[in-house]
Amino acid sequence: MGGGPVVPKRLLVSAVLSSAALTGCTAVQQVVPGPPSSQPSTSEESTATSTAPSITRDVPPEQRRMLGSMSAQELCGLVRPDEIAALAFEVEPGRAREVGIQPPVRGCGFPDRSGGREVLIGAQAPGFADLGTEEVELGAVRGTQVLRADGCTVYAPVAGATLQIVVIADQADTDQCGIASDVAQYVLPAVVA
C-alpha cells in the first residue's frame, strides 16, 4: 500500500492549486508588479525557459521603491516605452489605470503602437505570486507564470506586494511569456525585494 494513496493526494492537491490559480486570475484580471533581481539566470529547472533579457539595469538600494505603496501613475514610471521596445515591441506611453474588482489592481498599460498587443504592469497584494501555473526564474527571484489564450502573466513576490506583468495578444503563445519574464526581470531592480 506504500505508494497507492500518495498518487491520488498529489493529484487532488494539483487540481486544487490549479483551480485556485485560475479563480484568482479571473477575479483580478491582469496587471504587473515585482521585486528587484540580480543577473538573469539561465537555469532550466522549471518547465518554463529562463532567458536573459536583452537589456538589464542595476538600481542602487536607496533608489528602490516599495511597490505596494506606488500609485498607478508611479507604476508607469518603472519602465520607459523605449525600454519596453528593446525587450518586446514598440509601445505607446504608459496609461495609469485600475483594473479588476475587490479590490481593484493599480496598474499601467503600454499599448502596442501597431495595435493588438499590450504590456501591463501592476501591483497585486502579497501572496499573489503563487497564482501562476509554472515556476519561472526572474534572475534572483522565483516567480510564476500562466499562459492563457489572450496573454501571459508573470507574478513575482516583492516586499509587501506582488509584481504582475502581463503581455496581452490576440493569440498568445510562449513568446508572450518570454516577453513578460524579460519585462519583470527589468522592472524588479527598481522595487524593494
Side-chain angles (χ1 to χ4, degrees):
M1 279 191 95
V6 174
V7 173
K9 287 181 185 176
R10 286 184 183 164
L11 292 175
L12 177 61
V13 169
S14 269
V16 169
L17 291 175
S18 295
S19 174
L22 293 176
T23 301
C25 293
T26 304
V28 182
Q29 282 205 14
Q30 303 167 336
V31 184
V32 189
S37 70
S38 63
Q39 288 293 358
S41 174
T42 57
S43 172
E44 295 181 22
E45 284 183 22
S46 66
T47 56
T49 57
S50 297
T51 61
S54 56
I55 60 173
T56 59
R57 68 178 170 184
D58 184 29
V59 178
E62 65 275 6
Q63 293 179 8
R64 295 177 184 166
R65 311 267 319 269
M66 290 295 294
L67 182 67
S69 64
M70 295 178 75
S71 69
Q73 188 60 48
E74 290 172 319
L75 291 172
C76 291
L78 287 173
V79 63
R80 297 187 321 256
D82 63 309
E83 293 167 328
I84 292 178
L87 295 164
F89 43 83
E90 290 192 20
V91 295
E92 299 291 335
R95 296 183 187 121
R97 63 184 185 174
E98 292 191 358
V99 297
I101 55 174
Q102 300 178 354
V105 176
R106 292 178 317 282
C108 183
F110 294 85
D112 182 358
R113 286 192 176 173
S114 61
R117 297 179 294 183
E118 185 172 17
V119 174
L120 293 171
I121 298 175
Q124 290 275 15
F128 276 70
D130 294 334
L131 287 179
T133 56
E134 294 180 56
E135 279 194 358
V136 62
E137 288 186 31
L138 305 169
V141 175
R142 249 205 207 279
T144 62
Q145 71 181 21
V146 61
L147 176 62
R148 295 184 200 85
D150 63 347
C152 185
T153 304
V154 169
Y155 302 94
V158 297
T162 301
L163 173 66
Q164 181 180 351
I165 306 289
V166 183
V167 177
I168 298 172
D170 291 334
Q171 293 185 354
D173 57 25
T174 56
D175 289 346
Q176 280 69 44
C177 290
I179 292 169
S181 292
D182 288 352
V183 172
Q185 286 183 70
Y186 190 79
V187 169
L188 283 170
V191 298
V192 177

